[in-house]
Amino acid sequence: MYKRVLVPLDGSPVAEAIVPFILQIAGPLDMAVRLLAVVEPVQPTMVEDPGFVMIQDLDARTRSAEEYLAPIAAELRGRGIEVEWEVRRGSAASTILAIAKSWGADLIAMTTHGRSGLGRLLFGSVAEHVLRHADVPVFLMRQTEAQLAARAAKEMMR
């Protein structure tokens, strides 16, 4: 049923929590996986000194995202999963939707940071936007930093 799954990752441990799920389903279902990192341009910001403007280097952030995705792709490949990866620049939600459409994904699998209330209002929700606007099913796994820490502590006690 699902043959092509797009997996957006933002470099956070919360986002990476979807990878074990993908490892469990992609092989048995013979799914092709595309890992995607989106580097969002950040507006230059003034630091207290009006003569100093901090500009983030998009090229460096893009290289960093590439270095982040490559070993994850290698791990999936090592488990016999067909995988591609790419880094794009732009708005995360709209880029995820565009790549899903152009690649012909029939599933998008990603985590949500589980923000609510003021956090969601201030930071928005990429996952929510993707869920509302995707043309294909979206598998969302809610994951928080606290859940990750609890899982790591539990594994260390074994």
Side-chain angles (χ1 to χ4, degrees), residues 15-33:
E16 279 181 45
I18 196 73
V19 174
F21 171 74
I22 295 302
L23 283 168
Q24 289 178 1
I25 68 164
L29 295 177
D30 194 30
M31 297 173 83
V33 175

Side-chain angles (χ1 to χ4, degrees), residues 100-114:
K101 184 174 247 172
S102 69
W103 184 55
D106 37 38
L107 178 66
I108 300 170
M110 61 193 295
T111 59
T112 176
H113 291 255

Side-chain angles (χ1 to χ4, degrees), residues 4-84:
R4 303 180 109 187
V5 59
L6 179 65
V7 181
L9 298 171
D10 66 8
S12 71
V14 170
E16 279 181 45
I18 196 73
V19 174
F21 171 74
I22 295 302
L23 283 168
Q24 289 178 1
I25 68 164
L29 295 177
D30 194 30
M31 297 173 83
V33 175
R34 177 167 281 182
L35 304 175
L36 173 66
V38 180
V39 177
E40 293 193 81
V42 178
Q43 295 295 325
T45 55
M46 296 280 281
V47 183
E48 290 187 28
D49 178 2
F52 182 76
V53 177
M54 184 181 293
I55 299 175
Q56 291 194 357
D57 184 351
L58 272 179
D59 290 335
R61 290 177 50 223
T62 299
R63 281 189 303 278
S64 178
E66 291 168 349
E67 291 167 1
Y68 163 72
L69 288 181
I72 297 170
E75 179 184 355
L76 291 169
R77 245 183 240 111
R79 305 258 183 119
I81 297 169
E82 178 187 335
V83 63
E84 303 172 17

